[in-house]
Amino acid sequence: MPGWKLSNSDRANPGPSGAFVLLGTVVRPHGIRGELKICPHTEQPDSICRYRRVFLAADVDGEMIECADIRARVSGRMIILSLPGCDDRDRAERFVGWRLWLPVSDLPSAKADEVYLHSLMNKRARTVDGRELGTVRELLGGGQERLVIRDGDREYLVPAVRAFIASVGETEVVLDLPPGLLEMNS
């Protein structure tokens, strides 16, 4: 049964150019030395600490700034990020609201029984009994990751949990959903 290591909570797409995955959002400066407090958008926030290169963007379609030689640490449910050259609170204030991105190519390979949620984007979705649902268009966060599946005017919100994902292929995801879920979340 598939699992996942990292989830992409961005509501719009898997990155500014499609080759990135959202790691988190800068929520405020941390202290007076220019550190940034990051609200992680991953299932395993401490995974951010292993990366030494990330990209920052003011908005989904905005220009990205490459940040190399970063340092990160976990602080409760947040990540504290140090960027070279960002050494005071005033500089850190400029990044509030910016998003933290990682190139998909920098992600560790998923194990045979795992899948990254962002990899479900743009796949056709159907149920185990053959019902065609549409295409996975978005991932919504907010505590429980949800797949947004659209087909024309129809839209379904499906919790992105292991128990509901029967299989993932190159172009398709097969869902094993409890009775009534689609009607309740359409």
Side-chain angles (χ1 to χ4, degrees):
M1 180 167 294
W4 39 84
K5 290 182 179 177
L6 180 72
S7 57
N8 176 353
S9 298
D10 187 40
R11 290 171 175 22
N13 63 43
S17 70
F20 292 83
V21 64
L22 181 66
L23 293 180
T25 302
V26 179
V27 292
R28 65 179 170 266
H30 177 76
I32 61 170
R33 295 190 180 127
E35 292 179 311
L36 305 172
K37 188 168 269 196
I38 309 292
C39 177
H41 296 292
T42 70
E43 245 183 31
Q44 299 173 344
D46 60 328
S47 67
I48 295 172
C49 299
R50 81 177 116 210
Y51 304 116
R52 296 292 165 244
R53 176 183 77 133
V54 295
F55 290 78
L56 285 168
D59 55 54
V60 172
D61 298 319
E63 185 177 329
M64 299 181 82
I65 299 170
E66 181 176 359
C67 303
D69 299 321
I70 66 162
R71 292 183 326 272
R73 67 183 188 278
V74 176
S75 177
R77 300 178 97 184
M78 305 297 257
I79 300 294
I80 306 302
L81 183 70
S82 298
L83 304 174
C86 186
D87 51 14
D88 64 45
R89 189 172 183 90
D90 289 338
R91 286 187 182 152
E93 284 282 352
R94 297 179 196 164
F95 291 108
V96 172
W98 286 43
R99 293 185 173 141
L100 184 69
W101 298 92
L102 181 73
V104 170
S105 60
D106 288 356
L107 288 170
S109 296
K111 296 177 185 170
D113 63 342
E114 295 177 324
V115 65
Y116 286 110
L117 288 180
H118 74 271
S119 70
L120 301 179
M121 293 292 294
N122 299 314
K123 291 185 188 281
R124 293 291 300 165
R126 69 174 176 84
T127 62
V128 291
D129 60 1
R131 181 176 174 187
E132 295 290 332
L133 301 177
T135 303
V136 178
R137 293 294 182 198
E138 294 181 52
L139 294 167
L140 296 179
Q144 167 68 61
E145 295 286 340
R146 289 161 289 156
L147 303 175
V148 178
I149 302 168
R150 290 193 188 110
D151 188 22
D153 292 341
R154 288 185 312 166
E155 179 177 276
Y156 301 102
L157 300 178
V158 175
V161 296
R162 286 181 184 203
F164 295 168
I165 300 174
S167 66
V168 178
E170 190 70 30
T171 60
E172 176 182 73
V173 59
V174 179
L175 303 170
D176 188 3
L177 304 174
L181 182 89
L182 291 174
E183 292 69 29
M184 180 173 55
N185 289 315
S186 63

